[in-house]
Amino acid sequence: MSPLDAFWHLGNFLLPAWFVAGVVAALMKLLWRAELKSRSWRQLWLWGGAGGTLGLLLALALLGHDGKMLGYGLMLLAIALPQAWLSLRR
């Protein structure tokens, strides 16, 4: 595998977590504007993306390969937990 192929494989592995984290962060800022006034969109996105990445890596370790629905469910949970924690913390 060439370095370019490795880059694309890694990018395609991580893209769902970071895309979903961005959508969730944008929806959170839109729906709970007053409650999340002190949190930036970028902060929510970074915490959600990091959690989603950890969720995908955990799913890869547990299931042996990516692309399973259980793995994506774990990714969604790992995205939602840090963002919920940030929204509840003052």
Side-chain angles (χ1 to χ4, degrees):
M1 179 183 307
S2 72
L4 185 59
D5 288 336
F7 170 77
W8 285 116
H9 278 283
L10 184 63
N12 286 327
F13 175 70
L14 297 176
L15 183 66
W18 288 92
F19 178 77
V20 172
V23 170
V24 170
L27 288 174
M28 285 178 67
K29 286 294 281 185
L30 181 68
L31 295 175
W32 294 288
R33 186 174 304 142
E35 292 86 355
L36 294 174
K37 183 174 27 177
S38 65
R39 302 281 177 221
S40 70
W41 178 87
R42 183 178 174 172
Q43 183 182 26
L44 293 170
W45 178 62
L46 288 174
W47 277 90
T53 299
L54 290 175
L56 283 176
L57 290 173
L58 181 63
L60 183 63
L62 291 174
L63 303 174
H65 56 86
D66 67 322
K68 289 193 170 192
M69 291 306 292
L70 183 62
Y72 288 128
L74 186 59
M75 176 194 75
L76 286 175
L77 181 66
I79 289 171
L81 285 177
Q83 290 183 339
W85 179 72
L86 284 174
S87 67
L88 294 175
R89 205 178 96 200
R90 297 284 170 194

XYZ file of all heavy atoms in Angstrom:
705
model
N 0.847 -1.171 0.000
C 0.000 0.000 0.000
C 0.896 1.239 0.000
O 1.809 1.354 0.795
C -0.893 -0.029 1.246
C -1.794 1.153 1.356
S -2.822 1.241 2.846
C -3.632 -0.304 2.883
N 0.584 2.135 -0.866
C 1.367 3.366 -0.957
C 0.952 4.334 0.164
O -0.118 4.178 0.768
C 1.147 4.018 -2.322
O -0.147 4.580 -2.395
N 1.775 5.328 0.444
C 1.396 6.317 1.465
C 0.096 7.048 1.127
O -0.692 7.368 2.023
C 2.573 7.279 1.500
C 3.732 6.481 1.012
C 3.164 5.523 0.009
N -0.144 7.291 -0.146
C -1.388 7.950 -0.534
C -2.592 7.050 -0.255
O -3.632 7.519 0.237
C -1.332 8.331 -2.014
C -2.513 9.145 -2.543
C -2.640 10.456 -1.777
C -2.369 9.384 -4.027
N -2.463 5.753 -0.551
C -3.545 4.813 -0.234
C -3.788 4.737 1.268
O -4.932 4.684 1.718
C -3.215 3.417 -0.767
C -3.317 3.328 -2.270
O -4.040 4.145 -2.866
O -2.667 2.423 -2.844
N -2.722 4.721 2.050
C -2.863 4.685 3.504
C -3.567 5.944 4.010
O -4.417 5.873 4.911
C -1.491 4.536 4.163
N -3.234 7.091 3.434
C -3.889 8.341 3.805
C -5.388 8.279 3.528
O -6.201 8.671 4.366
C -3.250 9.516 3.038
C -4.014 10.797 3.166
C -3.930 11.556 4.320
C -4.821 11.243 2.132
C -4.645 12.735 4.441
C -5.531 12.422 2.244
C -5.447 13.171 3.399
N -5.770 7.775 2.353
C -7.185 7.697 2.001
C -7.927 6.676 2.862
O -9.081 6.898 3.239
C -7.371 7.388 0.524
C -7.081 8.583 -0.326
C -6.092 8.721 -1.235
C -7.774 9.831 -0.323
N -6.119 9.971 -1.793
C -7.150 10.671 -1.251
C -8.863 10.326 0.372
C -7.583 11.971 -1.499
C -9.290 11.618 0.117
C -8.648 12.426 -0.808
N -7.289 5.566 3.187
C -7.920 4.577 4.065
C -8.176 5.172 5.445
O -9.258 4.998 6.015
C -7.044 3.320 4.186
C -7.211 2.368 3.054
N -8.298 1.531 2.936
C -6.421 2.106 2.003
C -8.179 0.804 1.844
N -7.041 1.133 1.255
N -7.185 5.853 5.993
C -7.339 6.468 7.303
C -8.388 7.576 7.270
O -9.224 7.689 8.172
C -5.990 7.017 7.781
C -5.978 7.599 9.180
C -6.292 6.534 10.220
C -4.639 8.246 9.472
N -8.364 8.377 6.226
C -9.354 9.444 6.086
C -10.767 8.912 5.974
O -11.695 9.427 6.614
N -10.960 7.869 5.191
C -12.293 7.281 5.042
C -12.745 6.566 6.312
O -13.937 6.438 6.560
C -12.325 6.319 3.859
C -12.318 7.056 2.546
O -12.864 8.143 2.426
N -11.678 6.471 1.550
N -11.813 6.101 7.114
C -12.161 5.481 8.391
C -12.641 6.529 9.387
O -13.607 6.306 10.119
C -10.948 4.721 8.945
C -11.165 4.141 10.307
C -12.027 3.077 10.499
C -10.511 4.656 11.402
C -12.239 2.536 11.754
C -10.705 4.127 12.668
C -11.571 3.066 12.840
N -11.993 7.695 9.408
C -12.295 8.729 10.397
C -13.386 9.708 9.967
O -13.982 10.381 10.806
C -11.031 9.511 10.738
C -9.916 8.707 11.388
C -8.693 9.584 11.575
C -10.363 8.119 12.694
N -13.649 9.811 8.688
C -14.604 10.798 8.181
C -16.003 10.673 8.785
O -16.586 11.703 9.149
C -14.679 10.735 6.653
C -15.584 11.772 5.997
C -15.013 13.164 6.214
C -15.734 11.479 4.525
N -16.580 9.482 8.938
C -17.935 9.433 9.527
C -18.004 10.031 10.927
O -18.957 10.744 11.252
C -18.264 7.935 9.562
C -17.405 7.316 8.541
C -16.153 8.146 8.499
N -17.005 9.785 11.751
C -17.023 10.313 13.114
C -16.970 11.836 13.113
O -17.732 12.495 13.829
C -15.856 9.749 13.911
N -16.092 12.406 12.325
C -15.931 13.860 12.331
C -17.094 14.572 11.632
O -17.499 15.656 12.042
C -14.588 14.247 11.721
C -13.487 13.878 12.662
C -12.788 12.717 12.694
C -13.020 14.654 13.763
N -11.895 12.730 13.735
C -12.013 13.908 14.404
C -13.336 15.909 14.260
C -11.331 14.382 15.524
C -12.653 16.382 15.370
C -11.665 15.620 15.981
N -17.659 13.954 10.601
C -18.818 14.551 9.929
C -20.033 14.544 10.848
O -20.712 15.563 11.003
C -19.118 13.803 8.622
C -20.320 14.340 7.912
C -20.234 15.514 7.195
C -21.539 13.683 7.984
C -21.353 16.029 6.548
C -22.654 14.183 7.349
C -22.562 15.363 6.621
N -20.317 13.397 11.461
C -21.468 13.304 12.362
C -21.281 14.220 13.569
O -22.227 14.861 14.024
C -21.706 11.839 12.785
C -22.758 11.734 13.875
C -22.123 11.002 11.582
N -20.061 14.314 14.085
C -19.797 15.217 15.213
C -20.076 16.666 14.816
O -20.611 17.441 15.626
C -18.357 15.062 15.692
N -19.743 17.038 13.601
C -20.026 18.398 13.137
C -21.515 18.664 12.998
O -22.010 19.730 13.382
N -22.241 17.700 12.466
C -23.694 17.858 12.322
C -24.362 17.934 13.696
O -25.218 18.786 13.933
C -24.280 16.702 11.478
C -25.794 16.702 11.517
C -23.785 16.783 10.048
N -23.953 17.065 14.615
C -24.530 17.076 15.965
C -24.203 18.394 16.673
O -25.062 18.981 17.328
C -24.045 15.853 16.774
C -24.425 15.971 18.232
C -24.615 14.583 16.182
N -22.977 18.867 16.535
C -22.594 20.133 17.171
C -23.411 21.294 16.604
O -23.871 22.156 17.358
C -21.104 20.389 16.983
N -23.601 21.316 15.293
C -24.390 22.395 14.678
C -25.843 22.338 15.137
O -26.444 23.382 15.441
C -24.307 22.290 13.157
N -26.417 21.151 15.206
C -27.796 21.025 15.664
C -27.941 21.395 17.134
O -28.936 22.002 17.529
C -28.307 19.605 15.417
C -28.586 19.247 13.970
C -28.935 17.774 13.835
C -29.683 20.120 13.398
N -26.945 21.032 17.936
C -26.989 21.410 19.351
C -26.947 22.921 19.510
O -27.694 23.485 20.315
C -25.820 20.776 20.113
C -25.998 19.299 20.378
S -24.592 18.591 21.218
C -24.692 19.392 22.815
N -26.078 23.584 18.758
C -25.988 25.049 18.854
C -27.271 25.705 18.338
O -27.668 26.758 18.828
C -24.793 25.560 18.046
C -23.452 25.287 18.689
C -23.260 26.037 19.980
C -22.879 27.468 19.726
N -22.569 28.197 20.951
N -27.922 25.091 17.375
C -29.151 25.644 16.832
C -30.324 25.448 17.790
O -31.101 26.377 18.035
C -29.467 24.990 15.486
C -30.718 25.464 14.767
C -30.529 26.891 14.304
C -31.022 24.555 13.600
N -30.445 24.255 18.365
C -31.603 23.939 19.206
C -31.472 24.452 20.629
O -32.477 24.832 21.241
C -31.829 22.424 19.220
C -32.215 21.802 17.877
C -32.279 20.300 17.991
C -33.543 22.364 17.401
N -30.266 24.450 21.186
C -30.052 24.883 22.570
C -29.121 26.090 22.600
O -28.099 26.084 23.263
C -29.487 23.724 23.397
C -30.462 22.611 23.540
C -31.591 22.610 24.289
C -30.401 21.339 22.907
N -32.238 21.416 24.155
C -31.534 20.610 23.317
C -29.491 20.740 22.028
C -31.781 19.325 22.869
C -29.749 19.451 21.589
C -30.889 18.770 22.015
N -29.517 27.128 21.874
C -28.688 28.314 21.710
C -28.397 28.998 23.045
O -27.253 29.345 23.329
C -29.378 29.284 20.755
C -28.550 30.481 20.401
C -29.231 31.328 19.345
N -29.519 30.511 18.178
C -30.625 30.626 17.454
N -31.543 31.505 17.782
N -30.818 29.876 16.401
N -29.391 29.161 23.880
C -29.191 29.868 25.151
C -28.364 29.040 26.125
O -27.489 29.562 26.813
C -30.550 30.205 25.773
N -28.641 27.736 26.181
C -27.926 26.873 27.125
C -26.464 26.692 26.743
O -25.610 26.500 27.602
C -28.603 25.502 27.217
C -29.969 25.534 27.857
C -31.079 25.839 26.868
O -30.775 26.118 25.680
O -32.246 25.829 27.278
N -26.160 26.710 25.459
C -24.791 26.489 24.986
C -24.112 27.784 24.563
O -23.188 27.764 23.745
C -24.801 25.493 23.811
C -25.235 24.082 24.165
C -25.355 23.234 22.908
C -24.245 23.447 25.124
N -24.556 28.892 25.129
C -23.975 30.192 24.774
C -22.478 30.248 25.071
O -21.711 30.841 24.334
C -24.723 31.289 25.529
C -24.294 32.671 25.211
C -25.156 33.733 25.873
C -25.805 33.257 27.143
N -26.578 34.296 27.835
N -22.064 29.592 26.160
C -20.655 29.644 26.554
C -19.784 28.640 25.807
O -18.564 28.684 25.918
C -20.536 29.392 28.062
O -20.966 28.080 28.368
N -20.378 27.749 25.060
C -19.619 26.734 24.309
C -19.565 27.121 22.837
O -20.582 27.462 22.231
C -20.276 25.355 24.427
C -20.430 24.869 25.820
C -19.119 24.330 26.317
N -19.287 23.919 27.705
C -18.396 24.141 28.628
N -17.292 24.771 28.339
N -18.599 23.745 29.855
N -18.391 27.018 22.256
C -18.272 27.314 20.834
C -18.620 26.077 20.012
O -18.538 24.946 20.488
C -16.849 27.769 20.505
O -15.945 26.689 20.620
N -19.002 26.304 18.772
C -19.300 25.210 17.864
C -18.061 24.342 17.685
O -18.155 23.116 17.645
C -19.756 25.782 16.520
C -20.031 24.737 15.506
C -21.203 24.075 15.330
C -19.121 24.205 14.540
N -21.072 23.170 14.304
C -19.799 23.233 13.808
C -17.790 24.467 14.222
C -19.210 22.524 12.772
C -17.203 23.755 13.203
C -17.909 22.790 12.490
N -16.921 24.980 17.587
C -15.669 24.249 17.382
C -15.343 23.341 18.570
O -14.880 22.218 18.398
C -14.533 25.234 17.142
C -13.238 24.555 16.849
C -12.153 25.549 16.574
N -10.898 24.828 16.431
C -9.801 25.372 16.039
N -9.773 26.652 15.744
N -8.707 24.668 15.950
N -15.574 23.826 19.779
C -15.310 23.012 20.964
C -16.205 21.779 20.972
O -15.738 20.675 21.244
C -15.538 23.834 22.225
C -15.220 23.091 23.494
C -15.514 23.925 24.724
O -16.356 24.822 24.686
N -14.834 23.620 25.803
N -17.483 21.948 20.673
C -18.391 20.808 20.607
C -17.965 19.828 19.514
O -18.015 18.612 19.696
C -19.825 21.283 20.361
C -20.491 22.071 21.482
C -21.795 22.669 20.999
C -20.706 21.188 22.686
N -17.557 20.361 18.383
C -17.137 19.521 17.268
C -15.868 18.731 17.596
O -15.787 17.540 17.304
C -16.929 20.386 16.030
C -16.442 19.646 14.833
C -17.084 18.641 14.174
C -15.212 19.851 14.147
N -16.328 18.214 13.111
C -15.173 18.946 13.073
C -14.154 20.730 14.325
C -14.108 18.882 12.196
C -13.104 20.661 13.436
C -13.086 19.748 12.396
N -14.896 19.387 18.201
C -13.645 18.706 18.537
C -13.846 17.606 19.569
O -13.301 16.505 19.436
C -12.605 19.711 19.027
C -12.014 20.625 17.962
C -11.105 21.662 18.605
C -11.270 19.831 16.924
N -14.625 17.884 20.621
C -14.880 16.858 21.637
C -15.685 15.702 21.045
O -15.412 14.537 21.331
C -15.618 17.466 22.828
C -14.700 18.126 23.792
C -14.307 19.432 23.772
C -14.047 17.529 24.905
N -13.451 19.681 24.818
C -13.282 18.521 25.527
C -14.047 16.242 25.429
C -12.517 18.269 26.654
C -13.288 15.997 26.559
C -12.537 17.002 27.149
N -16.682 16.019 20.232
C -17.471 14.962 19.601
C -16.654 14.147 18.609
O -16.765 12.922 18.553
N -15.810 14.813 17.830
C -14.959 14.100 16.878
C -13.946 13.208 17.556
O -13.684 12.086 17.120
N -13.373 13.696 18.643
C -12.415 12.876 19.397
C -13.112 11.660 20.007
O -12.593 10.538 19.968
C -11.748 13.709 20.476
N -14.294 11.875 20.558
C -15.055 10.750 21.113
C -15.448 9.756 20.041
O -15.360 8.542 20.237
N -15.881 10.256 18.897
C -16.244 9.374 17.786
C -15.064 8.576 17.265
O -15.196 7.397 16.921
N -13.893 9.204 17.216
C -12.687 8.493 16.801
C -12.356 7.372 17.774
O -12.043 6.246 17.362
C -11.500 9.471 16.692
O -11.818 10.462 15.706
C -10.230 8.763 16.303
N -12.446 7.666 19.063
C -12.199 6.626 20.068
C -13.235 5.511 19.961
O -12.911 4.335 20.122
C -12.193 7.224 21.469
C -11.002 8.107 21.801
C -11.190 8.732 23.180
C -9.716 7.325 21.730
N -14.482 5.874 19.695
C -15.526 4.872 19.512
C -15.258 3.978 18.324
O -15.448 2.750 18.388
N -14.809 4.550 17.212
C -14.481 3.752 16.036
C -13.282 2.844 16.289
O -13.265 1.684 15.851
C -14.196 4.659 14.837
C -15.394 5.272 14.145
C -14.934 6.229 13.045
C -16.305 4.211 13.566
N -12.277 3.354 16.989
C -11.113 2.523 17.304
C -11.482 1.380 18.248
O -11.000 0.250 18.078
C -10.008 3.380 17.905
C -9.322 4.346 16.942
C -8.373 5.268 17.697
C -8.597 3.593 15.847
N -12.352 1.659 19.212
C -12.809 0.611 20.109
C -13.621 -0.436 19.353
O -13.455 -1.639 19.568
C -13.636 1.217 21.248
C -14.171 0.249 22.290
C -13.018 -0.437 23.024
C -15.067 0.975 23.261
N -14.482 0.006 18.456
C -15.266 -0.929 17.647
C -14.357 -1.770 16.757
O -14.586 -2.978 16.586
C -16.281 -0.164 16.797
N -13.319 -1.155 16.211
C -12.368 -1.898 15.382
C -11.641 -2.953 16.208
O -11.449 -4.083 15.759
C -11.370 -0.936 14.744
C -10.334 -1.522 13.794
C -11.011 -2.148 12.590
C -9.366 -0.444 13.357
N -11.281 -2.601 17.429
C -10.590 -3.558 18.302
C -11.520 -4.697 18.729
O -11.100 -5.852 18.798
C -10.033 -2.841 19.527
N -12.777 -4.365 19.035
C -13.710 -5.379 19.511
C -14.247 -6.276 18.398
O -14.404 -7.487 18.590
C -14.897 -4.722 20.227
C -14.612 -4.049 21.556
C -15.863 -3.330 22.062
C -14.128 -5.068 22.574
N -14.558 -5.681 17.257
C -15.234 -6.415 16.190
C -14.286 -6.968 15.126
O -14.685 -7.805 14.335
C -16.279 -5.519 15.517
C -17.338 -4.936 16.462
C -18.218 -3.961 15.722
C -18.152 -6.052 17.092
N -13.071 -6.470 15.073
C -12.108 -6.983 14.106
C -12.040 -6.217 12.800
O -11.027 -6.237 12.129
N -13.125 -5.568 12.416
C -13.098 -4.706 11.220
C -14.197 -3.666 11.346
O -15.115 -3.798 12.143
C -13.226 -5.502 9.924
C -14.443 -6.363 9.834
N -15.642 -5.897 9.390
C -14.627 -7.670 10.139
C -16.522 -6.881 9.418
N -15.929 -7.965 9.876
N -14.089 -2.617 10.549
C -15.054 -1.533 10.651
C -16.199 -1.746 9.673
O -16.179 -2.670 8.867
C -14.375 -0.176 10.410
C -13.884 -0.038 8.990
O -13.388 -1.016 8.417
O -13.987 1.074 8.452
N -17.199 -0.889 9.769
C -18.322 -0.948 8.854
C -19.516 -1.727 9.373
O -20.484 -1.910 8.641
N -19.480 -2.176 10.611
C -20.628 -2.879 11.183
C -21.537 -1.881 11.880
O -21.087 -0.855 12.392
C -20.171 -3.934 12.183
C -19.497 -5.115 11.525
C -19.364 -6.241 12.504
C -18.909 -7.490 11.765
N -19.029 -8.663 12.612
N -22.816 -2.184 11.913
C -23.782 -1.287 12.536
C -23.506 -1.108 14.024
O -23.694 -0.013 14.563
C -25.205 -1.803 12.322
C -25.662 -1.721 10.884
S -25.516 -0.070 10.167
C -26.737 0.806 11.082
N -23.065 -2.157 14.694
C -22.715 -2.040 16.107
C -21.573 -1.037 16.302
O -21.572 -0.256 17.252
C -22.328 -3.405 16.663
C -21.998 -3.470 18.147
C -23.196 -3.068 18.982
C -21.549 -4.871 18.519
N -20.628 -1.043 15.396
C -19.524 -0.090 15.464
C -19.989 1.343 15.271
O -19.532 2.259 15.962
N -20.923 1.550 14.340
C -21.435 2.897 14.130
C -22.309 3.344 15.303
O -22.336 4.526 15.650
C -22.205 2.991 12.813
C -21.304 2.929 11.610
C -21.534 2.027 10.584
C -20.204 3.762 11.504
C -20.705 1.955 9.486
C -19.358 3.708 10.411
C -19.617 2.804 9.405
O -18.789 2.754 8.320
N -23.014 2.408 15.925
C -23.773 2.745 17.127
C -22.860 3.174 18.261
O -23.144 4.127 18.987
N -21.750 2.470 18.393
C -20.760 2.836 19.409
C -20.147 4.206 19.103
O -19.912 5.004 20.002
C -19.674 1.768 19.485
C -18.644 1.901 20.579
C -19.305 1.897 21.947
C -17.653 0.760 20.492
N -19.939 4.475 17.817
C -19.424 5.782 17.412
C -20.409 6.887 17.795
O -20.019 7.922 18.345
C -19.182 5.811 15.899
C -18.729 7.154 15.367
S -18.840 7.303 13.577
C -20.604 7.513 13.336
N -21.710 6.677 17.548
C -22.712 7.680 17.891
C -22.777 7.920 19.395
O -22.884 9.063 19.849
C -24.086 7.253 17.375
C -24.301 7.359 15.886
C -25.656 6.793 15.505
C -24.176 8.788 15.425
N -22.695 6.857 20.161
C -22.684 6.999 21.608
C -21.449 7.770 22.072
O -21.536 8.650 22.933
C -22.731 5.621 22.269
C -22.751 5.598 23.782
C -24.051 6.201 24.296
C -22.578 4.184 24.283
N -20.309 7.463 21.461
C -19.061 8.135 21.840
C -19.047 9.596 21.390
O -18.323 10.408 21.964
C -17.873 7.383 21.245
N -19.826 9.950 20.397
C -19.953 11.357 19.993
C -20.887 12.092 20.943
O -20.619 13.220 21.363
C -20.463 11.471 18.537
C -19.379 11.028 17.563
C -20.922 12.886 18.216
C -19.864 10.902 16.134
N -21.982 11.456 21.304
C -23.007 12.115 22.107
C -22.581 12.332 23.557
O -22.938 13.350 24.152
C -24.301 11.310 22.061
N -21.842 11.402 24.128
C -21.483 11.517 25.544
C -20.641 12.744 25.870
O -20.985 13.486 26.796
C -20.801 10.240 26.024
C -21.735 9.053 26.237
C -20.937 7.823 26.638
C -22.798 9.359 27.248
N -19.543 13.026 25.156
C -18.794 14.241 25.511
C -19.573 15.524 25.237
O -19.441 16.498 25.971
C -17.527 14.174 24.659
C -17.656 13.034 23.764
C -18.848 12.249 24.148
N -20.409 15.524 24.202
C -21.178 16.733 23.918
C -22.259 16.944 24.972
O -22.542 18.080 25.351
C -21.759 16.669 22.510
C -20.673 16.788 21.472
C -21.194 16.795 20.064
O -22.280 16.357 19.782
N -20.376 17.283 19.158
N -22.862 15.874 25.453
C -23.830 16.008 26.543
C -23.153 16.472 27.822
O -23.678 17.318 28.554
C -24.534 14.673 26.779
N -21.962 15.948 28.077
C -21.199 16.362 29.252
C -20.856 17.851 29.181
O -20.966 18.569 30.171
C -19.943 15.508 29.379
C -19.087 15.865 30.538
C -19.348 15.633 31.861
C -17.838 16.552 30.492
N -18.330 16.121 32.631
C -17.386 16.682 31.819
C -17.047 17.044 29.457
C -16.183 17.302 32.121
C -15.865 17.654 29.772
C -15.438 17.779 31.084
N -20.449 18.321 28.001
C -20.134 19.743 27.848
C -21.359 20.615 27.996
O -21.277 21.736 28.511
C -19.495 19.998 26.476
C -18.040 19.595 26.306
C -17.622 19.769 24.866
C -17.148 20.432 27.209
N -22.498 20.132 27.533
C -23.706 20.956 27.628
C -24.237 21.028 29.057
O -24.876 22.011 29.420
C -24.789 20.428 26.684
O -25.242 19.167 27.107
N -23.982 20.019 29.857
C -24.450 20.029 31.236
C -23.495 20.759 32.166
O -23.903 21.248 33.221
C -24.657 18.598 31.733
C -25.766 17.821 31.042
C -25.785 16.383 31.544
C -27.115 18.489 31.255
N -22.226 20.805 31.811
C -21.219 21.462 32.643
C -21.290 22.958 32.457
O -21.352 23.463 31.356
C -19.834 20.942 32.225
C -18.824 21.051 33.314
C -17.526 20.495 32.858
N -16.750 21.646 32.384
C -15.726 21.565 31.562
N -15.376 20.427 31.074
N -15.076 22.638 31.207
N -21.250 23.700 33.522
C -21.308 25.167 33.447
C -19.927 25.760 33.442
O -19.004 25.358 33.980
C -22.093 25.734 34.605
C -23.522 25.302 34.617
C -24.296 26.039 33.588
N -25.622 25.424 33.473
C -26.418 25.675 32.491
N -26.075 26.463 31.519
N -27.586 25.116 32.427
